[in-house]
Every structure is written in structure tokens, then in C-alpha cells.
Amino acid sequence: MDFNLPADLTAYLDELDRFIAREIKPLEEADDNIRFFDHRREWARTDFEKGGLPRHEWEALLRKAKNLADAAGHLRFAIPKRYGGKDGSNLWMAVIREHFASKGLGLHNDLQNEHSIVGNLPLVTMLDRYGTDEQKAMIEGSITGKYRITFGLTEPDHGSDATHMETRAVQATRDNVKGWIINGQKMWTTGMHVATHCALFARTSGNDGDARGITCLLVPAKSEGVKVEEYMWTFNMPTDHPRVSFTNVFVPEDALFGEIGRGLSLAQCFVHENRIRQAASSLGAAVYCINESVKYARERKPFGKALAENQAIQWPLVELATQAEMLRLLIRKTAWEMDQLTQAQVENTLSDRVSMCNYWANRLCCEAADRAMQVHGGMGYSRHKPFEHIYRHHRRYRITEGSEEIQKRKVAGFLFGYMGAGKH
């Protein structure tokens, strides 16, 4: 087996690097846009007068970078050719995401909000696989920014266990229109401040704890009864993570997204691709921290002796570098296997390894960022270095985005035989 990257993949990485140098870096450096990435980044990104929401200038800059990438043919890389993409594989996306994150903070790729010039677009996959013709017509607008669809799965009292969600949707008729009435609350519905729709998961049948009986509905964000109750401030600012209530919200029948009672299939479609790519990004950020620490240890000479000569500096970095190398092989192997299987096969045979990649990559990145802060001394803990930003972001990943606890539960389910083929 040849573990070297294919020549056409390395050529594409070179092409992306040239594009970044030619188009993205000049934009990053224009009009003091570097303020969004240097020591001023948290303040520059956050509109404190509007409750901590992202500043309009920050989001507009990200959109401008995406538009440049789209015009150059990069943004849609991972989606089907029929939507202007390149049918990019999970393996290629894993390599690209690691490559970008290993460059450090920048407009080319910002992990705080999943921005990248090579888009991670799992909602496009959801619309393509499960949407009606009318819903598929939203794909182009979801890429260009006309539509923003949030993800309404987690609830205030039910974080990791979505099958005990309390949100309910019942079939009803209003003004001679058949549809659904929704009542409940959702947490961490990221992007609701600019959303046009929410892909909302609600129980429509069955009992608490059942995987079946949960249905996804595409709810317009401005529907009567939809209310942002509060925005949750997290490790990284700005915040676009609200708690949203749905009170007697009516949507017509055509809001149904996928099959009635099979909504968790849409959720799995979203999380598998998202989490393997997130794992690759976390690995890349860890590699950045390791490389910067090695570089600094060679240059820094307190008391006339390079830090790099000290085994207390060397050994922790040796361990981190070893873990990164092993994790890279697991992520790329898992991504390659995902490309060979259907979604159902991934759920039944590979989901545990996606979880392994995800939780271990997030943990490794936190450890590498923490070590980088220590190696760099006082400056390492200042905001003049990116390590505290990387640490806080990936510490949040370990708590929220496919949390470490739920990933371990999934691995345990496969390990001890109560999940996997035939166990859903």
C-alpha cells in the first residue's frame, strides 16, 4: 500500500497555496483586516453593543473571501459537480483541512466558525440526499449566502442524548393548510442571527429514547412563534450560539425534510462528514502549535543555552509529534474508507472510528496549544500569539461540537456490541 499523497492532490495543495498568496493574503492585509487575526481579534470580531454577536464587518470579510474562492473554483470542491463542485472526496478534504489549519490563523481558514476557502458544506449534502425538488433548489443560495440554514438538534436539557428531546411536532391543519405545529426549545443553533431557515428536529412519534420517531422540518427563521431567547457566550467570542424557543410554530407539509420519523439519518449525514473534517482541522492546528514550539525552542536561548537542548522541552514535544503522526494515519485511512461506503454503511461499520478521530484530535490540539503556551513563556499566554485562541476554540470543541463524551459513548457502543451493524 502506498501511503504517499497522490501527485494530483499535492498539485492541488500547491494551487491552493498560490491562490491564498495571490488573492486571500492581500485581502487579509488590506484595510487593517489583520485586526481580525492578530492580538485584537476577539475585540475586532465581537459587537459587544449587540450582545456579543459577530460584527458585520467580520462576517462581510468572510463572505468576500468565500466569493473569491468560489470564483476561482475552490469553495465548492467537496460537493457534486452538478452543483458546481468537483466531487471532492473525504480523503482529499481531510488533507486540505489539515494543510490549511497547519498554517495558523488567517483568512484562508478560520476554525472559530468553520470558515474556509474550501467549503465544508454538509447542509448541501443533506439537501441533495434528502431534500424535495423545491428544497434542492435552495442549494445554490445556501452556498452563495442567500440562504442560511441552522441546525436545531441539541436542547437545553438534552445535550448529548438527542433521542430524549422534548421538542414535539404534531400534524395539524391551519387555514385549510395541512402541516405541523411545533413546540420546544433548541440550543447552540449557530448562525440564527442571520438565518433564513432552521433544520429543526422534533419528535413526531414513538417514546423518549427511541431513535425512530424523530422528524426533521425546514422551518423559516421568521415564522411566528420562533424567538431567540438568549445568546450563549462561550470560550471564543463572538457568540452566534443562541437558545431558541418554538411556540405553536406552524409550517406546511412541504417543510418536511426527509422521511417522517427518520430524521436522525439527516443528523448522521451532517455529523459524519463534519466530524472527520473537523478532526483533520484539529490535527492541523496541533501540528502548527508543535512546529512553532520547536522553532521557538531552537531560537530562544535563556542563560546562553537554547531551550531545545533541554529534555524537559524535547520530550513533551516528541510525544505530541508522535501522536500527531499516528492520528494523521487514522484520519486519512478513515476518510478513505468513508469514500468507499454508503452513508448507511458508514453508520453501521465506521462511525466509531470517525468518533475516535474527532475526540482524539480535539484533545491533541488542546494539549499541543497548552504546550506551545508553556514553551513560549509569558508571550505564549498573551494574545500576541495565537495559542490561547487555538486552545480555547478546541477546548470548546471538546465540550460542544460532537463532545468528547458522546464520541466515547459511540466508540464504546461498537466496542461492547450494542451499536454497529444491525444494532440501530
Side-chain angles (χ1 to χ4, degrees):
M1 182 178 292
D2 184 1
F3 288 96
N4 293 315
L5 294 179
D8 50 350
L9 174 50
T10 57
Y12 189 53
L13 295 178
D14 290 340
E15 180 183 342
L16 288 169
D17 286 344
R18 291 192 297 271
F19 171 74
I20 291 170
R22 184 178 66 251
E23 301 283 348
I24 302 302
K25 277 297 180 183
L27 178 60
E28 181 183 299
E29 295 166 359
D31 302 320
D32 196 31
N33 287 332
I34 197 65
R35 70 188 185 277
F36 296 112
F37 304 98
D38 65 15
H39 62 280
R40 301 167 290 172
R41 54 189 169 264
E42 189 169 80
W43 188 269
R45 297 178 182 196
T46 306
D47 192 337
F48 294 100
E49 288 72 34
K50 291 186 177 179
L53 287 172
R55 290 191 190 275
H56 172 72
E57 297 84 354
W58 166 232
E59 294 190 314
L61 177 64
L62 298 180
R63 184 70 256 174
K64 191 170 184 178
K66 285 185 173 72
N67 291 344
L68 289 173
D70 202 11
H74 301 310
L75 183 68
R76 308 184 190 211
F77 171 82
I79 66 175
K81 291 181 179 178
R82 59 183 172 275
Y83 302 121
K86 298 182 179 179
D87 288 324
S89 68
N90 283 297
L91 174 59
W92 278 46
M93 279 295 288
V95 174
I96 291 168
R97 297 281 285 188
E98 180 193 341
H99 180 72
F100 280 175
S102 68
K103 292 176 175 290
L105 303 186
L107 186 54
H108 64 289
N109 190 73
D110 192 84
L111 301 180
Q112 187 181 50
N113 50 20
E114 283 297 310
H115 161 78
S116 181
I117 59 169
V118 176
N120 185 27
L121 305 168
L123 277 162
V124 170
T125 304
M126 288 174 63
L127 288 167
D128 182 45
R129 290 182 181 174
Y130 297 99
T132 62
D133 289 342
E134 290 76 15
Q135 290 166 347
K136 288 180 181 179
M138 299 173 67
I139 287 176
E140 177 66 21
S142 73
I143 299 168
T144 62
K146 178 181 178 181
Y147 299 114
R148 174 70 184 268
I149 303 173
T150 64
F151 198 69
L153 182 64
T154 305
E155 296 188 353
D157 295 324
H158 304 283
S160 297
D161 184 8
T163 62
H164 282 82
M165 67 176 59
E166 296 178 31
T167 300
R168 296 291 186 266
V170 296
Q171 291 180 309
T173 299
R174 180 180 289 181
D175 298 329
N176 296 318
V177 176
K178 292 182 178 180
W180 303 81
I181 291 180
I182 306 165
N183 282 281
Q185 291 192 74
K186 295 296 177 180
M187 287 281 286
W188 315 116
T189 43
T190 303
M192 201 68 185
H193 66 296
V194 291
T196 58
H197 297 78
C198 176
L200 181 129
F201 296 82
R203 183 163 292 285
T204 54
S205 64
N207 301 312
D208 289 345
D210 291 346
R212 297 288 179 91
I214 294 172
T215 300
C216 187
L217 298 163
L218 205 54
V219 180
K222 303 302 181 184
S223 298
E224 183 179 355
V226 177
K227 181 182 178 183
V228 173
E229 298 289 349
E230 62 179 327
Y231 281 94
M232 313 303 295
W233 289 33
T234 62
F235 281 111
N236 282 62
M237 295 295 289
T239 177
D240 56 355
H241 316 297
R243 176 171 62 88
V244 184
S245 63
F246 298 81
T247 306
N248 295 323
V249 176
F250 179 81
V251 292
E253 283 185 323
D254 61 9
L256 179 64
F257 192 9
E259 295 182 45
I260 295 176
R262 299 295 295 272
L264 288 186
S265 293
L266 280 77
Q268 291 296 319
C269 171
F270 181 94
V271 301
H272 279 115
E273 288 190 3
N274 199 49
R275 286 174 181 168
I276 193 66
R277 295 168 188 176
Q278 184 190 95
S281 294
S282 298
L283 170 61
V287 169
Y288 170 80
C289 292
I290 294 166
N291 290 343
E292 288 297 302
S293 297
V294 170
K295 179 182 176 182
Y296 183 78
R298 287 173 170 173
E299 296 172 349
R300 181 74 167 174
K301 296 182 179 180
F303 309 107
K305 182 180 179 181
L307 283 174
E309 296 180 28
N310 190 329
Q311 290 181 353
I313 297 293
Q314 293 176 1
W315 282 185
L317 292 172
V318 166
E319 291 186 5
L320 290 169
T322 302
Q323 291 176 34
E325 188 65 29
M326 290 189 294
L327 181 60
R328 178 179 296 112
L329 293 175
L330 178 60
I331 289 173
R332 292 181 181 180
K333 180 177 182 290
T334 303
W336 177 81
E337 289 179 321
M338 289 175 68
D339 292 328
Q340 317 306 313
L341 303 175
T342 65
Q343 181 189 332
Q345 289 172 326
V346 170
E347 289 183 32
N348 285 325
T349 65
L350 204 60
S351 189
D352 59 330
R353 271 174 283 167
V354 175
S355 292
M356 289 177 185
C357 292
N358 184 273
Y359 89 78
W360 194 258
N362 292 336
R363 178 185 294 185
L364 176 64
C365 189
C366 285
E367 293 177 357
D370 184 53
R371 176 57 54 181
M373 286 188 277
Q374 295 179 47
V375 171
H376 283 76
M379 285 299 293
Y381 288 93
S382 78
R383 294 189 178 181
H384 293 262
K385 295 290 184 181
F387 309 125
E388 59 83 29
H389 180 85
I390 293 170
Y391 177 86
R392 286 188 293 137
H393 173 69
H394 291 273
R395 190 68 183 86
R396 179 173 66 86
Y397 264 173
R398 292 177 67 182
I399 299 169
T400 59
E401 304 289 338
S403 68
E404 204 165 286
E405 180 240 353
I406 194 65
Q407 300 309 310
K408 286 185 176 182
R409 282 180 180 269
K410 183 164 286 188
V411 175
F414 277 71
L415 188 63
F416 293 99
Y418 57 86
M419 290 184 69
K423 300 297 194 298
H424 291 277

